[in-house]
Amino acid sequence: MILAAVPGFQGNQTALNPVGPGAAHIEFEFSLIFWITTAVYCIVLLVLVIAVARKRHSFEAMPEPLTTTPESDRIAKRSVGAAMIATVILLFIMLVGSFETSRALGSMNPENALTIDVYGHQWWWEVQYPNDEAYKTVVTANEIHLPVGVPIRIHGTSRDVIHSFWAPNVQGKRDLMPGYETEIMMQIDQPGAWRGQCAEYCGEQHAHMSFYMVAETKDQFAKWLNDQAQSSVSPSTPETARGQQVFLTHACVLCHTIRGTPAGSRVGPDLTHVASRTTIAAGELPNTVGNLGGWILNAQGIKPGCRMPPNQLSGSELQDLLAYLETLK
Ligand code: CUA
């Protein structure tokens, strides 16, 4: 396919490179409409060019351009009639394709699907893996791990304004609205990290509200889920112990949870396993010590308007805090 050769139509954030049945249905529908309309456009242009070229010749040969004969009249009527019939047929093909795509997307609803709760926030994604035993419920942010080849039910809503959940390689977009719950069925058939982002303007940092869908083998996923369900590790060195105290005695504790410590607020992302994530700030920065330090000191310089306030910490406090956070695998 020609488009596959063009950069931007490949990679881990494009609807034209589907990795699951949802996006594949949408890609098929897109290709159908794209190629039909492209062919129609080319044919119309071709006919126009031929008509202009012919007119020019007849101008040179004959000063009265509007002469018609019964023969030319009949040809014109037949041409218009054929074009109308072709238009109706092509529109009908696109209508049937669109109907079939909607039906296929709507019928993705297996009973054995894994349910993942996703909550949109300004400007990050809260992700929960509910469990009948509440203490095993996993809470994380911005990275949605899931097993390859297993139907997934994303159960979504918003904690503030309207957001839209969209991972183009995986499935179509769906608005997440406050006070309204929605379900999106999806499945990923190949391992990898597929980028998604908010697709509904939700304020100043809307463009910096991305996430990753991380598709893993069933074993890798089971291990990940089990690790995430554990409480945070206790500090094992004086430095990390001081770091934990910095966390618990500064503003951090007012907004974040670290399970296994007194910190239990749900305003910002759960940090129990923050060091296991590959990015921070909703996909904005790689999760490195330097980025995390910059984010803690002055998140407003990175994502102006976000709810993370600047923090006044001494150099040693920051180092201890980072040392502690780095242990939260
Ligand atoms: Cu959330 Cu745009």
Side-chain angles (χ1 to χ4, degrees), residues 40-304:
V40 169
Y41 179 73
C42 292
I43 290 169
V44 168
L45 274 192
L46 189 69
V47 170
L48 186 67
V49 168
I50 291 172
V52 168
R54 271 181 153 189
K55 231 19 172 196
R56 182 172 291 164
H57 283 155
S58 55
F59 268 134
E60 285 161 4
M62 182 171 59
E64 309 95 75
L66 292 176
T67 330
T68 58
T69 64
E71 173 69 8
S72 70
D73 224 26
R74 199 163 53 241
I75 293 174
K77 275 181 185 160
R78 282 188 183 164
S79 308
V80 171
M84 280 170 62
I85 291 170
T87 304
V88 169
I89 290 173
L90 292 176
L91 285 175
F92 190 71
I93 291 174
M94 290 193 280
L95 178 73
V96 171
S98 172
F99 179 79
E100 275 301 306
T101 303
S102 304
R103 199 185 57 81
L105 291 176
S107 64
M108 290 174 66
N109 196 15
E111 290 302 310
N112 60 342
L114 168 72
T115 297
I116 303 175
D117 297 337
V118 173
Y119 301 86
H121 289 256
Q122 283 175 315
W123 291 281
W124 59 284
W125 307 88
E126 179 184 347
V127 183
Q128 292 194 22
Y129 296 74
N131 195 300
D132 292 340
E133 295 166 77
Y135 73 96
K136 286 187 184 165
T137 294
V138 164
V139 185
T140 182
N142 306 321
E143 287 171 23
I144 305 171
H145 287 244
L146 46 94
V148 165
V150 173
I152 306 293
R153 179 183 291 106
I154 297 287
H155 172 241
T157 186
S158 167
R159 299 281 202 206
D160 38 48
V161 301
I162 300 175
H163 303 276
S164 187
F165 183 86
W166 190 32
N169 300 69
V170 184
Q171 180 56 295
K173 60 181 78 161
R174 181 71 61 87
D175 281 2
L176 306 185
M177 288 183 259
Y180 178 86
E181 299 186 359
T182 187
E183 283 189 353
I184 324 157
M185 293 305 302
M186 52 183 67
Q187 181 174 322
I188 300 184
D189 292 328
Q190 48 180 287
W194 310 101
R195 191 175 188 275
Q197 72 180 54
C198 185
E200 172 71 39
Y201 182 74
C202 55
E204 200 178 348
Q205 296 298 333
H206 155 69
H208 300 149
M209 184 171 169
S210 58
F211 61 93
Y212 281 91
M213 303 206 75
V214 184
E216 303 168 314
T217 64
K218 282 179 191 167
D219 290 347
Q220 285 170 331
F221 173 73
K223 180 181 183 309
W224 176 85
L225 195 64
N226 185 54
D227 289 349
Q228 296 284 316
Q230 311 299 317
S231 278
S232 62
V233 292
S234 300
S236 58
T237 66
E239 187 186 30
T240 54
R242 288 196 304 271
Q244 189 187 52
Q245 280 313 302
V246 172
F247 188 93
L248 295 175
T249 55
H250 287 74
C252 322
V253 70
L254 299 177
C255 294
H256 295 281
T257 290
I258 296 181
R259 279 171 276 141
T261 76
S265 177
R266 301 289 285 277
V267 178
D270 185 305
L271 301 179
T272 310
H273 299 285
V274 64
S276 72
R277 306 205 272 265
T278 54
T279 61
I280 58 170
E284 196 56 17
L285 297 170
N287 187 4
T288 63
V289 184
N291 285 337
L292 196 55
W295 180 254
I296 291 168
L297 289 182
N298 188 13
Q300 297 299 317
I302 298 166
K303 269 171 98 164

